[in-house]
Amino acid sequence: MTNRKGEVELAKEDLIKAVNQVLGIVRRNGRSRKVGLALVLMVLLGGRASVRNAAETFGLDYANLLEALGELEDAWRDYLEVLSGLVKGEVAV
């Protein structure tokens, strides 16, 4: 069980780093933390909003935002995958 806990902690740390990367891009461009959190939630909730539209709307570099949101999506998927290994029954999210 401790091995699984270690995997969860590593996945959680990666997720936090990915969230902070998105927030950093947004904050460096003079946008509010709320804008960053909205972009993070867009990824976490599986929204299909256009990254290009978000970048243009908030005046962010498209390539940097696309990379950061891609890393966030990967970290979120990995975190959920590790958590699913701990679950022994049905879960409603």
Side-chain angles (χ1 to χ4, degrees), residues 26-39:
V26 171
R27 296 295 289 158
R28 280 191 302 277
N29 284 281
R31 300 295 178 233
S32 73
R33 186 171 170 88
K34 289 180 182 179
V35 169
L37 291 175
L39 291 171

Side-chain angles (χ1 to χ4, degrees), residues 18-29 31 35-40 42-43 49-73:
V19 168
N20 286 332
Q21 183 178 3
V22 172
L23 293 178
I25 289 171
V26 171
R27 296 295 289 158
R28 280 191 302 277
N29 284 281
R31 300 295 178 233
V35 169
L37 291 175
L39 291 171
V40 167
M42 176 182 78
V43 170
S50 166
V51 175
R52 182 170 303 283
N53 286 342
E56 290 175 5
T57 299
F58 299 114
L60 304 171
D61 181 70
Y62 171 72
N64 287 342
L65 184 61
L66 182 64
E67 181 179 345
L69 292 177
E71 289 177 18
L72 175 60
E73 185 174 27

